[in-house]
Amino acid sequence: MNTTTQRTTAASPGGGGSGAAAPPILRSGLSAVRLELRGYFRTPDTVFFTFLFPILMLGIFGVAFQSMGDIGAREDGSGGISMAAYYLPGLAAAGLLLGGVQNLAVDIAREKSEGWLRRLGGTPLSPVGYFLGKAGLVAITSLAQLALLLLFARFALGVELPGEPEAWLRLGWLFLLGIATMTALGIALSAVPRSSRSATAVVLPIVLLLQFVSGVYLQFTMLPDWLQNIAGIFPLKWLAQGMRSVFLPEQFAAVEQSGAWDLGLVALNLAVWLVVGVVVSLLTFRWQRRS
């Protein structure tokens, strides 16, 4: 049974096994999450480029720049961190971008182009149930990815993780707000590609460019002021900045554009983009592909 048939069966009146004319939204959503997870981990290219990619990049950066020694030390020589520790927060933020924006935008555009959504639109599966499945997929895979990234950083690269409960609470709200924002933007961006073939060509350059200008692979303040200002419009810059406040020593805040972590602005910008993503998704989503 292929993925499309599975999804259609799960959305049909008898698919949930309850015999009801229309399954409850929650039951439908949980069924959709299971099917999405099953399909996700059966596609090696998706797993590699969205799930394992940040972990592999952290390993490459950690090993390649190991000889450079610690960076960001105080005048007395204390407080320095390894390059692996420096890249960890940016790649944690990039993981949410890949799982939410890249994965969803490409996946939904493909399903729409190949007619899956048109067939699902003729079943009792509501848009709410469909999006619960997508959101559940992103939340579960992103949480697992973040956990593996932290375990890899700690035990393979020797990165010291935060010891203060406040830092972990900060990571919690950054993850929740970040994954909600990236999920909404991924759904909104899925309306742009006109076919499954063009989906990757449209989405991948956007995702890659945002990572380079948002402080994931390059120190943000190394960029020209005008490029920093442009990057500051987009959510990845703020999510990466928030993640740095979790994993980097306090003295690294002085290197930020404003000389501080600005967590209030981080939350505000992510929340604004969340609203933008939801509104655009509601206005543009259709079960059938555009002509």
Side-chain angles (χ1 to χ4, degrees):
M1 182 184 294
N2 59 32
T3 306
T4 307
T5 305
Q6 289 176 339
R7 288 175 176 167
T8 305
T9 302
S12 64
S18 63
I25 289 177
L26 181 58
R27 182 179 302 172
S28 177
L30 291 175
S31 177
V33 170
R34 289 194 296 269
L35 291 171
E36 292 288 349
L37 286 170
R38 191 181 306 168
Y40 180 89
F41 286 106
R42 285 179 177 176
T43 52
D45 54 341
T46 300
V47 173
F48 180 84
F49 285 107
T50 60
F51 189 79
L52 295 178
F53 187 75
I55 300 170
L56 294 173
M57 291 302 293
L58 182 63
I60 292 172
F61 286 132
V63 173
F65 299 119
Q66 187 175 14
S67 61
M68 296 180 62
D70 291 349
I71 62 171
R74 301 185 184 93
E75 293 182 359
D76 61 2
S78 64
I81 60 172
S82 66
M83 291 299 292
Y86 181 78
Y87 278 107
L88 174 61
L91 288 170
L96 301 188
L97 177 78
L98 295 174
V101 175
Q102 178 176 308
N103 188 40
L104 280 188
V106 173
D107 196 37
I108 295 175
R110 176 177 54 82
E111 291 177 356
K112 189 182 301 182
S113 176
E114 295 178 0
W116 293 8
L117 294 191
R118 184 173 62 252
R119 290 192 288 273
L120 287 175
T123 73
L125 179 66
S126 67
V128 175
Y130 173 78
F131 287 124
L132 282 176
K134 294 296 185 184
L137 168 70
V138 173
I140 292 172
T141 55
S142 296
L143 183 60
Q145 179 194 71
L146 179 61
L148 285 176
L149 183 67
L150 297 182
L151 289 172
F152 179 76
R154 178 68 186 90
F155 295 106
L157 301 176
V159 175
E160 290 292 332
L161 298 180
E164 305 82 12
E166 179 187 358
W168 292 103
L169 289 174
R170 189 184 306 164
L171 176 62
W173 71 257
L174 281 167
F175 175 84
L176 292 175
L177 185 54
I179 201 62
T181 301
M182 297 306 174
T183 298
L185 292 176
I187 296 170
L189 186 59
S190 69
V192 176
R194 292 184 172 275
S195 69
S196 59
R197 293 182 178 180
S198 67
T200 301
V202 170
V203 175
L204 192 58
I206 296 174
V207 170
L208 188 61
L209 181 60
L210 283 177
Q211 291 178 81
F212 273 101
V213 302
S214 299
V216 173
Y217 301 125
L218 301 172
Q219 184 176 319
F220 187 72
T221 50
M222 292 176 58
L223 303 174
D225 289 342
W226 65 269
L227 191 53
Q228 292 182 38
N229 294 331
I230 292 176
I233 299 173
F234 299 99
L236 183 60
K237 181 268 182 186
W238 297 101
L239 183 57
Q241 183 170 313
M243 289 294 184
R244 287 194 292 273
S245 77
V246 173
F247 295 106
L248 300 188
E250 190 62 32
Q251 71 265 22
F252 279 81
V255 187
E256 297 295 331
Q257 190 177 19
S258 66
W261 296 127
D262 290 327
L263 293 176
L265 285 176
V266 169
L268 177 61
N269 279 274
L270 290 176
V272 168
W273 276 104
L274 172 60
V275 173
V276 170
V278 170
V279 171
V280 173
S281 298
L282 291 174
L283 293 176
T284 61
F285 178 77
R286 299 292 183 273
W287 284 111
Q288 69 277 0
R289 70 183 179 92
R290 296 177 300 168
S291 59

